[in-house]
Amino acid sequence: MGKGKLAKFEENKTFSNFFQPHYEDVSAHGFPLRGTWQTGFFKNTNPIVLELGCGKGEYTVGLGEKYPEKNFIGVDIKGARIWRGLKRCDEKNLKNVAFLRTRINNINLFFAPSEVREIWITFPDPQPKKENKRLTCQRFLDLYKRMLVPDGIIHLKTDDTMLYEYTLNEVIPNGKHKLLLHSDDLYKEGSPHLEVKEIQTYYEKIWLEMGKKIKYIRFQLNAE
């Protein structure tokens, strides 16, 4: 591991809005903020919004700036990437943003039932050969349903056509979930979904310059 990464890992520990509990400790003793993120950490009763696979935290920080009336938590396993989000958050003095370093398949250890209002999944690895690792497969949707409020919303933003079509096929059939909005070309002329386009990641900007189409899906999970 390079010295740069080690330095970032050490600096991460100095931020009061960064959490990286050990899996063994949490699984054995629980996570102290589970069920109390609002009052225990953010010191308010504002809605909790997660970004899963947040990477450098560009979307988490951007959402935190745009919606001060909500609390945002970026989740990723890559500590060196989260470091960038922590630095930006610190520079902007954002009090409604935190970062959690953990694997997403362990997410229910950190959030209680009905504790989360929204989930953002922004440009995840599409996992073309491993369906059960896609962040919109049924295995993960079942995890999200446990911690989302009954009318909670999930957002997917991707440049990958396969993942977009796969997710639509999981959401639409048999009325399994409620599709609220979708677009296979978010930035096409006349597209009205302005709020979804206001925040762009570094790679999103590059893909747009390359002429790639950005896709978006907004949906709710059935409570049953």
Side-chain angles (χ1 to χ4, degrees), residues 49-67 72-74 85 88 94 97 99 119-123 155-158 186-187 193-202 204 214-216:
V49 181
L50 305 185
E51 184 191 4
L52 302 181
C54 68
K56 297 179 181 180
E58 296 155 297
Y59 233 82
T60 304
V61 173
L63 288 169
E65 285 187 284
K66 183 174 174 59
Y67 300 105
F72 295 90
I73 304 172
R88 288 175 177 164
L94 294 177
V97 176
F99 289 91
I119 292 175
W120 281 85
I121 305 171
T122 50
F123 302 98
H155 308 261
L156 171 68
K157 204 173 182 185
T158 180
L186 191 59
Y187 292 91
H193 317 308
L194 297 178
E195 78 283 358
V196 186
K197 297 184 283 189
E198 289 179 357
I199 303 171
Q200 295 179 355
T201 68
Y202 170 77
E204 182 176 359
I214 305 301
K215 291 87 172 168
Y216 173 73

Side-chain angles (χ1 to χ4, degrees), residues 124-138:
D125 184 339
Q127 298 286 352
K129 297 182 179 179
K130 298 179 180 179
E131 179 179 346
N132 71 336
K133 289 191 174 183
R134 296 172 194 163
L135 292 186
T136 56
C137 76
Q138 192 59 49

